[in-house]
Amino acid sequence: MYKPLPEVRKFSRAPLATRVNCLGPGTFFSDFTINVSEGGMMLQAISEVRPGTELEVQFSIPGSGKVIKAVAEVVWTRKNPRGEAQIGVGLGVRFKRIERDEQATIRRFVETQSA
């Protein structure tokens, strides 16, 4: 019998529920984050966005006074993730271009949430 491999992530993540504005080819939507890491985030969305779609995302980190702006790529979508009826579609996005100081702001936030 095979055991599933443990999940390996490059970056730690923390829960974050904040509005995120997303602009992509032919689409604009504003939804909420579920969690965030230096490398990307999970969003709750009303409709699916195809993996590979590039989005400009904009959101804020509580307590930082900063608006984070990044270019991200949708890497996966899941309908009704974790069986949570209020989340129609979960989107996993990876940051492709983000300023170092904004990435550091996210890192500090994640560190404070896991302390």
Side-chain angles (χ1 to χ4, degrees), residues 1 3 6 21 47-48 50-51 59 87-88 95 105 107 109 113-114:
M1 171 167 259
K3 292 183 180 180
N21 294 321
S47 59
E48 288 185 66
R50 290 161 97 53
F59 61 100
I87 303 173
F95 298 135
T105 298
R107 180 175 41 255
F109 173 77
Q113 298 304 301
S114 48

Side-chain angles (χ1 to χ4, degrees), residues 43-89:
L43 309 175
Q44 72 176 40
I46 294 171
S47 59
E48 288 185 66
V49 179
R50 290 161 97 53
T53 301
E54 193 170 275
L55 300 171
E56 293 178 27
V57 297
Q58 184 175 325
F59 61 100
S60 61
I61 297 291
S64 74
K66 286 188 144 191
V67 174
I68 307 293
K69 296 178 185 176
V71 174
E73 177 183 8
V74 177
V75 292
W76 56 261
T77 64
R78 293 187 190 129
K79 290 183 181 178
N80 194 17
R82 297 178 284 172
E84 297 175 19
Q86 72 271 21
I87 303 173
V89 178

